[in-house]
Amino acid sequence: MPIKWLSAIGNCRLSAVSMTGCSHCESVFPRCRILLLRAESRLLIAIFCFVICVAPAKSNEIPIAVSGEPRATLQIGANASAQEQFAAEEIQAFIAQFTGAKLDIRTNRQETETQIAIVLGTPKSNPTIAGLQANVELTLGEELGDEGYRIKTVEVGTEIVIVVTAHTERGVIYGAYAFIEKCITALTGLTPVHPEVPVAKAQALLVPFINETSAPFYPVRAVLEIEDPDWLARHRVNMSGGEGVWTGTGIEDGFGTAFKYVDTPAFDALQDEPLAQRRERIATLQGRFNALKRRGINAYLFMYVTGEPTEALIRERPDVLGPTVLYGASRNEVSYRPFCWSKPEFHTLAAELIQAIVRTYPTLAGFHLRSWGHETRACDCPDCGDRTEQGQAKLWQVYFTIINAAREVRPDFKFYISGYDSSWLKDGAGIYARQLPKGTIFSRKWGADGEPVADAGVPIPQIRSLGEIGHRFIVLSHEVEEVMPFWMLESDTFVQGVRRLANDPEVIGLGGFTVQGATQGLGYLDRLVSARLNWDIELDYFQLLLNELIARYGTEAAPHILNALRVNGWNMTSYFSDYAGSLTVGGTYGSGSAGLATRFWTLIGPRAVEDTLAIPELEIAKFAANRFTALLAPQQQAANEMRTASEIAEPFDLEATEDLNDAVRLMELWVLLFESRSKLVEAIALGYEPGTEEQIRAKLTSAIEFSKSIQPYIKSIKEFIPLFGYSHQTIEAELLSTLNAEVAWLTGFDYQTLLKHDADFSPEETPFRIWDAHNYPNPVKRETTFTYQLSLDADEVSITVYTASGRRVKVLKKASGNEGYNECTWDARNDDGMLLANGAYFYRIRAVVGEQTAQLLGRLAVLR
């Protein structure tokens, strides 16, 4: 009897029983009213429902809204969670945006007036879904996990139910966004799309029947910046790992200043800021963490461990601190008192602070704990041991003090540890990792420092060993740092690298990748791809990008824009692999870039052109010239295509217009930079040929003009990437100032230093001398760079610094000894490693080649 009864209900016509339905019908059909019926009458009603049922609807399109009027109702469970309510509200808001119609949100206990219902929730939270599972094929497999979802359209007589369900509330949220994307596809004909794709207002929204199941490929989809919670949720990001204050210095974002996150009387004496300011921050963070949790996003509060203590703590609690150490990047730019990791008093204070933070923010998911370089603020006392094995063990004790204290308050508290097994937190054998809570997240940057390359270069053995323990590893995706304050499209190389790791059977425990790309200009396109690829590794990302551009600029302009961006992206990736041979990666000629050029400022200005013009060999100059020739043609193609696109585009709104205009300017800007640098390396190559003085001068003049031509593009850029929090005006002024300095330096450059073609040239017959010696900055605050010119390659160069009375305080051996321009940087410390006191000093540059010696004296001042 129960089987027949449920079968009958499965075919029940809602309109016929809406006023006299049974409790089972109420759980299945949105229009049924709750009635408590006697058990013996249920079978008769069920049979009655079966008899009067009608044939299913034939249409394959379901009207959600027509002429600004809703044709569907949203239904959630009467006891729906905040996340499920949010999911329903998002569908309601987007459909209102698309059509002007506002769908009602009802619970399963409320009557509805429409024949179409969008039912959201889990089988536990919404009885309607549980009832449907008992009568139609609506299984939720284990493969969906905690975040997968199921969307299925069910016909019940003349009624249509669109079910959005999952095992968890977070899965319901993701299912809601998938349904919104189905609506966008129905309105635009585009697929794949994302929830925020531009959509013109429509008279009607008709969606097809849906039967879709989806789950994420990677479990951790993270950002490390403070992002809009709505954007994060709409793009299936489930972790925000950089919450709180993150300056990257350890001064304001370290454990030592984390007292500012709580309003606890016991810590009042350790605060550096007014109570009102602290309470405002706390209220803001509480609101943000609540908003993130409502959207299914885990918030991780960031702290350097251990960071620099507050000034108040240094004053009030010297018992938890070590002896003073010198460090030029400290709060007073001279010294600080680090925490002493060996003192029990410090661990007690640390545990109390951590527990106060966890209690203050009940919706905070976890801590992002980072140890790196000087930000860790090592104590130099014998008991702590600094970076020795003993010191590493002491630092791990600090971590476990923090972890244990947090989990005493909330056993489910989570942890993300960055900087693991690098300069700090050494753990080659994984001994400490095995003691950490299962599911702890670790990370490593893409490549050396996030450069745009296809090979992520992550430590696969480490990922595997952590995964086998039960932890997760995420990759900090390559970013746009190389071109800040500009952006470039890096999706092609990102997708290659991600898929390479995803298909590597040796990679076990990889949890995902952070969202990468700029929020400014068309740089946001990278963010769409990186967020979606974490969910769907087989994503047709090219079509996603094209669809986005079609929606913003029209079908005719979109292919031109995308092609220009991709050509530029590959071109810039090639350029940054070796800077076309025009800048040194290791500092072997001229000033060098001292590693990787990570800002546009490194590519322009006096230091950059000095470095280029100091190329020491003809073969290097020829190589650079050929590389720039190879880069210029495609970059000009990108510029031409972007210009063509701007002429035929139909921008969706003003923002789209401004983004496209910025893209046009950037494509042209890179052409001009490559032109300028190619002229410099061509001038160097000409220096090896006789009778080319006029040609060399012409090349240098041309390079100057190209550098000047960049400036109008800088002035016309609408949106820069905000580097270090600088304002738009500051960024523009600094770029223009650097370019002006470059032009001035090139204008005064002695082209004769490039002449190296004399067949009778002999070092023995050339006077060996040093000239044009300077140091900058002067006065010296934290470090200074000595610059000087040599007439020949030197065998040995040293720089000695003396006090005003003639006492030697520092000798810099093995300084640069190249013919032409040279640099040597000094950290303003003496031979014992101590910072020099304020005052006046002399320095002597001494160079030797064969039996010839040249010396030059200079003066500098130290002022802090």
Side-chain angles (χ1 to χ4, degrees):
M1 182 174 70
I3 295 176
K4 291 181 180 179
W5 173 61
L6 291 175
S7 176
I9 290 178
N11 291 283
C12 178
R13 181 183 177 188
L14 294 181
S15 58
V17 298
S18 60
M19 300 303 293
T20 59
C22 66
S23 59
H24 286 274
C25 285
E26 181 276 336
S27 70
V28 177
F29 307 121
R31 296 183 61 196
C32 291
R33 179 181 297 168
I34 296 178
L35 295 175
L36 298 177
L37 302 176
R38 291 177 301 171
E40 58 266 28
S41 67
R42 290 176 180 168
L43 177 59
L44 294 174
I45 293 174
I47 294 172
F48 171 75
C49 294
F50 178 79
V51 169
I52 64 174
C53 72
V54 297
K58 299 297 183 183
S59 172
N60 60 358
E61 288 191 321
I62 306 166
I64 304 299
V66 178
S67 300
E69 295 297 325
R71 295 293 181 88
T73 302
L74 288 158
Q75 190 217 74
I76 57 177
N79 298 314
S81 66
Q83 286 88 350
E84 291 168 327
Q85 293 177 29
F86 172 76
E89 290 167 4
E90 282 288 83
I91 293 177
Q92 181 189 57
F94 273 98
I95 290 177
Q97 175 186 319
F98 299 153
T99 67
K102 184 177 181 180
L103 275 59
D104 284 341
I105 299 177
R106 304 288 181 93
T107 73
N108 64 297
R109 295 177 182 173
Q110 295 174 309
E111 210 175 312
T112 63
E113 303 299 328
T114 62
Q115 287 186 302
I116 299 164
I118 304 166
V119 180
L120 294 94
T122 67
K124 292 182 179 179
S125 68
N126 193 336
T128 300
I129 295 174
L132 283 167
Q133 280 191 318
N135 291 275
V136 298
E137 196 287 311
L138 189 62
T139 57
L140 293 177
E142 293 184 3
E143 69 276 5
L144 291 183
D146 292 337
E147 297 185 318
Y149 60 82
R150 176 94 189 263
I151 306 176
K152 184 169 183 177
T153 304
V154 178
E155 287 185 284
V156 187
T158 59
E159 314 297 328
I160 297 178
V161 181
I162 302 172
V163 185
V164 180
T165 186
H167 290 302
T168 65
E169 295 94 338
R170 184 180 286 170
V172 173
I173 291 175
Y174 297 149
Y177 287 125
F179 176 73
I180 291 168
E181 290 168 1
K182 296 294 183 185
C183 293
I184 294 172
T185 295
L187 292 169
T188 65
L190 303 173
T191 185
V193 292
H194 63 94
E196 296 179 317
V197 70
V199 176
K201 205 163 193 177
Q203 283 294 308
L205 170 59
L206 309 175
V207 300
F209 278 59
I210 306 169
N211 187 5
E212 178 177 293
T213 300
S214 183
F217 187 85
Y218 284 116
V220 183
R221 304 172 303 281
V223 291
L224 295 185
E225 300 84 20
I226 305 300
E227 300 280 5
D228 175 53
D230 284 336
W231 190 94
L232 297 177
R234 291 166 184 172
H235 297 275
R236 279 83 153 178
V237 175
N238 61 5
M239 173 184 174
S240 181
E243 293 294 327
V245 176
W246 191 353
T247 65
T249 65
I251 297 174
E252 298 303 330
D253 52 2
F255 175 83
T257 55
F259 302 97
K260 62 179 173 287
Y261 293 126
V262 297
D263 183 12
T264 305
F267 302 135
D268 283 348
L270 308 182
Q271 303 285 354
D272 278 350
E273 62 185 18
L275 178 61
Q277 181 179 348
R278 184 162 26 110
R279 286 180 173 173
E280 181 180 359
R281 177 187 294 108
I282 292 169
T284 299
L285 284 176
Q286 287 173 333
R288 178 169 173 82
F289 297 159
N290 292 342
L292 290 170
K293 183 171 184 178
R294 188 167 187 257
R295 290 157 175 78
I297 302 162
N298 291 330
Y300 285 72
L301 184 66
F302 174 83
M303 288 183 290
Y304 272 111
V305 180
T306 49
E308 185 175 346
T310 63
E311 292 177 331
L313 189 145
I314 293 172
R315 182 178 60 252
E316 299 292 332
R317 291 293 305 272
D319 58 310
V320 300
L321 304 175
T324 300
V325 296
L326 294 174
Y327 177 51
S330 65
R331 185 180 290 107
N332 61 12
E333 298 187 336
V334 177
S335 63
Y336 58 90
R337 289 204 57 185
F339 288 108
C340 181
W341 304 335
S342 301
K343 293 185 176 181
E345 298 87 350
F346 163 65
H347 287 267
T348 299
L349 177 65
E352 292 172 350
L353 174 57
I354 287 300
Q355 294 190 340
I357 293 174
V358 175
R359 291 190 179 101
T360 300
Y361 305 100
T363 52
L364 178 65
F367 287 142
H368 173 182
L369 306 175
R370 178 171 175 79
S371 288
W372 189 263
H374 294 291
E375 291 84 359
T376 294
R377 302 293 195 263
C379 174
D380 286 342
C381 76
D383 291 335
C384 283
D386 194 47
R387 301 195 195 200
T388 64
E389 184 177 349
Q390 174 186 337
Q392 298 281 347
K394 294 289 184 182
L395 181 57
W396 275 111
Q397 288 179 15
V398 175
Y399 270 72
F400 285 109
T401 292
I402 293 172
I403 291 168
N404 294 334
R407 287 167 67 85
E408 280 182 15
V409 179
R410 279 184 39 202
D412 63 341
F413 207 72
K414 306 175 188 299
F415 301 93
Y416 162 33
I417 295 176
S418 57
Y420 171 76
D421 204 26
S422 296
S423 62
W424 289 104
L425 293 175
K426 294 292 185 182
D427 188 28
I431 295 173
Y432 295 106
R434 287 182 174 82
Q435 302 174 49
L436 293 169
K438 291 290 189 294
T440 295
I441 297 172
F442 299 82
S443 67
R444 185 68 63 88
K445 277 189 175 183
W446 185 295
D449 195 23
E451 69 270 55
V453 293
D455 183 2
V458 293
I460 292 177
Q462 186 182 76
I463 295 174
R464 185 170 57 248
S465 63
L466 290 172
E468 290 170 349
I469 293 171
H471 299 316
R472 288 172 171 171
F473 193 100
I474 62 174
V475 178
L476 308 187
S477 307
H478 60 64
E479 285 286 0
V480 293
E481 285 189 344
E482 287 76 9
V483 291
M484 281 187 179
F486 307 128
W487 50 265
M488 59 181 278
L489 189 70
E490 302 179 52
S491 292
D492 284 328
T493 52
F494 177 77
V495 172
Q496 277 195 17
V498 171
R499 287 179 175 166
R500 185 178 298 172
L501 289 172
N503 294 319
D504 188 339
E506 295 297 313
V507 179
I508 300 170
L510 181 57
F513 299 80
T514 58
V515 172
Q516 66 100 19
T519 58
Q520 293 72 29
L522 295 180
Y524 81 95
L525 295 171
D526 273 334
R527 301 170 66 74
L528 301 181
V529 171
S530 59
R532 288 292 296 266
L533 198 71
N534 269 292
W535 184 279
D536 178 10
I537 199 69
E538 300 299 329
L539 170 74
D540 186 347
Y541 77 99
F542 175 85
Q543 194 63 49
L544 176 71
L545 292 172
L546 185 61
N547 290 346
E548 171 70 11
L549 293 171
I550 288 172
R552 293 193 81 193
Y553 300 106
T555 55
E556 190 175 357
H560 291 286
I561 297 172
L562 183 54
N563 191 51
L565 293 175
R566 295 182 75 198
V567 169
N568 171 253
W570 281 111
N571 225 33
M572 298 309 299
T573 296
S574 174
Y575 172 67
F576 287 124
S577 67
D578 65 349
Y579 307 103
S582 64
L583 291 176
T584 56
V585 176
T588 55
Y589 41 87
S591 63
S593 59
L596 297 174
T598 57
R599 300 288 185 270
F600 183 67
W601 277 279
T602 311
L603 308 179
I604 61 174
R607 296 190 69 180
V609 291
E610 288 170 359
D611 194 30
T612 298
L613 289 172
I615 289 176
E617 299 174 15
L618 175 60
E619 291 306 311
I620 297 177
K622 286 182 176 180
F623 171 81
N626 290 333
R627 290 279 283 111
F628 276 119
T629 299
L631 291 170
L632 265 170
Q635 188 57 42
Q636 188 64 65
Q637 174 197 345
N640 292 343
E641 284 221 59
M642 196 65 76
R643 180 68 67 181
T644 298
S646 70
E647 295 169 356
I648 61 177
E650 299 173 0
F652 182 80
D653 53 19
L654 177 60
E655 183 181 19
T657 300
E658 292 175 346
D659 289 348
L660 183 56
N661 289 339
D662 272 0
V664 171
R665 293 161 187 143
L666 282 180
M667 298 304 105
E668 294 283 0
L669 183 150
W670 289 117
V671 170
L672 294 172
L673 181 73
F674 290 164
E675 289 275 22
S676 173
R677 298 308 180 251
S678 69
K679 299 306 177 188
L680 295 182
V681 296
E682 288 167 6
I684 296 168
L686 284 170
Y688 289 88
E689 301 177 17
T692 55
E693 289 86 345
E694 289 302 317
Q695 292 173 270
I696 292 173
R697 283 194 290 185
K699 293 289 185 184
L700 294 176
T701 300
S702 182
I704 291 170
E705 292 306 312
F706 280 120
S707 293
K708 288 180 179 178
S709 298
I710 295 174
Q711 299 195 29
Y713 290 93
I714 298 291
K715 293 178 182 178
S716 62
I717 293 289
K718 186 70 176 179
E719 198 173 24
F720 292 116
I721 297 174
L723 183 63
F724 300 132
Y726 293 155
S727 68
H728 183 99
Q729 293 76 14
T730 298
I731 290 173
E732 179 182 302
E734 287 296 318
L735 288 174
L736 294 175
S737 174
T738 306
L739 282 168
N740 281 326
E742 172 181 308
V743 169
W745 191 92
L746 282 173
T747 302
F749 176 70
D750 182 3
Y751 77 94
Q752 295 188 27
T753 60
L754 299 180
L755 298 176
K756 301 179 181 180
H757 64 272
D758 190 348
D760 298 325
F761 174 81
S762 171
E764 289 77 14
E765 298 175 7
T766 301
F768 181 45
R769 65 190 183 96
I770 304 173
W771 80 97
D772 200 20
H774 303 283
N775 74 288
Y776 65 92
N778 191 8
V780 181
K781 191 174 186 180
R782 287 184 294 198
E783 71 173 23
T784 191
T785 300
F786 297 100
T787 66
Y788 49 93
Q789 300 247 27
L790 297 176
S791 60
L792 297 171
D793 286 335
D795 298 327
E796 178 186 337
V797 178
S798 64
I799 303 174
T800 307
V801 182
Y802 303 89
T803 65
S805 62
R807 179 172 59 86
R808 189 182 71 186
V809 294
K810 181 66 178 181
V811 179
L812 300 172
K813 300 178 180 179
K814 298 182 180 180
S816 177
N818 297 320
E819 177 186 339
Y821 178 86
N822 292 270
E823 281 193 3
C824 180
T825 300
W826 174 49
D827 61 4
R829 295 177 182 271
N830 63 20
D831 284 329
D832 295 325
M834 303 295 290
L835 287 169
L836 294 189
N838 291 344
Y841 296 83
F842 294 98
Y843 64 89
R844 181 189 68 184
I845 303 176
R846 183 175 183 272
V848 177
V849 57
E851 297 181 356
Q852 298 186 71
T853 300
Q855 299 185 69
L856 194 67
L857 288 175
R859 174 178 288 188
L860 63 83
V862 174
L863 181 61
R864 297 189 178 90

